[in-house]
Amino acid sequence: MSQFPIRRMRRLRRTAALRRLVQETHLVPSQLVWPLFVCHGSAVRREVALLPGVYQTSVDEVVKDAERAQRLGLGGIILFGLPAAKDATGSEAYDEQGVVQQAARAVKRAVPELLVIGDVCLCEYTDHGHCGVIQDGDVDNDASVYLLGKVAVTQARAGIDIVAPSDMMDGRVAGIRKALDAAGLSRVPIMSYAAKTASAFYGPFREAAGSAPQFGDRQSYQMQGGNADEAMKEIRLDVDEGADIILVKPALPCLDLVRRAKQEFGSPLAAYQVSGEYAMIKAAAARGMLDETLAMWETLYAIRRAGADIIVSYFAPTAAELL
Ligand code: PBG
């Protein structure tokens, strides 16, 4: 039974002012986190070929981006490191003089109020490119968790405000919590990449971070994309192990997981609009296939509408500038 002509949905769409009044989903810069890639050297600012507008920067340059993030009122930055040398156990990841630790100290000195998140993983630092240490051809879970605890402690000591494990080892939130607490760092929150699927959309990131696996793939630790119940189980485990913020990744292919996670856990919830999601829009826009800015807004608002409180995105500074 149609209510037309009593009910006309277009009435509230007629002008920009009306549309603004009834807008349901809002986005503010403090909900956006900007991923940054930091490398050794000085005055380095190298654009990542697959990610226009994303750079590998040395510590002095990352400080400039941090100052920009602070000016824009972003929620924070998340740091990924490109080590001077890679080895079997990814030792620069937990070196007090590691590139992320140096960057954290420099950023904290220059912009103390800016929230700095540290990505806790080994894949950028290992010569084999996997997110943990290898034993008998596969990633050894518990040995990796031990090292991840060391990564978190050295990052937190360097001033990192939130540690964000992205490795998908079992028990790593509990392991990292224990390591932090034992080091007197019980105040440092953990944002866990709780549900992270083995996704093709991480492709461009692996160029940016130099972290492509040298053999095999990540399917023995990252989740199968089609499994939603398993994703909820993964998140529950991380919440029970002490995760303060949970993160779902990638974002657009997992909007249903974002929605379910928000409903089932009520925890602060982040979603990561990953490199491939960004690159796809950039590439299509460069070929005149779509409007980049409109596509950016549409995706960011969709992620918010699904239930994400926090969005990690390479669009963060661009979006904040326009907000
Ligand atoms: C490392 C890590 C990855 C991303 C974030 N942390 C890559 C991977 O798991 O292969 C991907 C982020 C992106 O694609 O933007 N564990």
Side-chain angles (χ1 to χ4, degrees), residues 27-38:
L27 184 63
V28 291
S30 64
Q31 293 164 326
L32 295 169
V33 172
W34 186 15
L36 296 173
F37 299 91
V38 47

Side-chain angles (χ1 to χ4, degrees), residues 121 123 166 196 202 205-206 218 222 249 274-275 314:
C121 195
C123 66
S166 66
K196 171 174 178 179
Y202 308 150
F205 172 93
R206 293 180 187 170
R218 305 210 199 289
Q222 297 179 349
K249 171 183 176 192
V274 300
S275 56
Y314 303 94

Side-chain angles (χ1 to χ4, degrees), residues 43-303:
V44 180
R45 182 170 286 273
R46 258 193 315 267
E47 190 164 31
V48 179
L50 300 176
L51 294 169
V54 175
Y55 300 85
Q56 296 174 340
T57 54
S58 48
V59 170
D60 52 330
E61 288 290 319
V62 105
V63 167
K64 294 180 189 163
D65 287 344
E67 285 162 348
R68 181 170 171 221
Q70 177 68 8
R71 268 199 313 278
L72 290 169
L74 292 181
I77 57 174
I78 180 164
L79 297 178
F80 295 91
L82 294 121
K86 297 173 187 256
D87 58 28
T89 60
S91 53
E92 191 179 315
Y94 43 90
D95 186 332
E96 304 280 357
Q97 294 310 319
V99 73
V100 162
Q101 288 82 353
Q102 287 185 37
R105 284 191 292 266
V107 167
K108 278 287 153 188
R109 216 175 299 125
V111 243
E113 288 86 38
L114 179 70
L115 184 95
V116 184
I117 304 173
D119 181 80
V120 173
C121 195
L122 297 176
C123 66
E124 298 117 74
Y125 304 89
T126 51
D127 49 16
H128 45 72
H130 279 285
C131 301
V133 287
I134 303 295
Q135 191 68 260
D136 304 324
D138 194 9
V139 175
D140 180 337
N141 193 88
D142 300 7
S144 303
V145 167
Y146 170 74
L147 295 180
L148 293 164
K150 295 186 16 155
V151 177
V153 167
T154 55
Q155 288 188 355
R157 279 197 186 127
I160 291 277
D161 296 295
I162 299 180
V163 292
S166 66
D167 53 283
M168 290 299 281
M169 296 303 123
D170 289 323
R172 94 281 204 201
V173 173
I176 287 171
R177 184 72 274 156
K178 226 173 114 187
L180 287 171
D181 291 359
L185 295 161
S186 60
R187 66 177 182 280
V188 177
I190 299 173
M191 174 170 85
S192 79
Y193 292 64
K196 171 174 178 179
T197 65
S199 170
F201 290 101
Y202 308 150
F205 172 93
R206 293 180 187 170
E207 186 213 300
S211 65
Q214 297 305 300
F215 66 89
D217 53 38
R218 305 210 199 289
Q219 292 188 71
S220 81
Y221 42 105
Q222 297 179 349
M223 281 188 42
Q224 278 193 68
N227 292 2
D229 290 335
E230 184 188 350
M232 294 307 113
K233 204 182 271 178
E234 276 284 4
I235 295 172
R236 183 174 307 285
L237 287 169
D238 282 11
V239 169
D240 289 348
E241 287 177 29
D244 301 279
I245 301 174
I246 53 182
L247 183 145
V248 172
K249 171 183 176 192
L252 275 200
C254 300
L255 288 186
D256 61 316
L257 304 182
V258 173
R259 162 58 52 185
R260 273 184 70 176
K262 192 61 199 169
Q263 274 164 347
E264 291 185 25
F265 303 101
S267 159
L269 176 66
Y272 197 142
Q273 181 176 48
V274 300
S275 56
E277 299 180 70
Y278 172 88
M280 208 160 48
I281 293 174
K282 283 284 189 186
R287 294 183 60 187
M289 291 171 164
L290 48 73
D291 182 292
E292 179 180 329
T293 307
L294 292 179
M296 172 187 81
W297 288 131
E298 191 170 333
T299 53
L300 291 175
Y301 278 102
I303 297 163

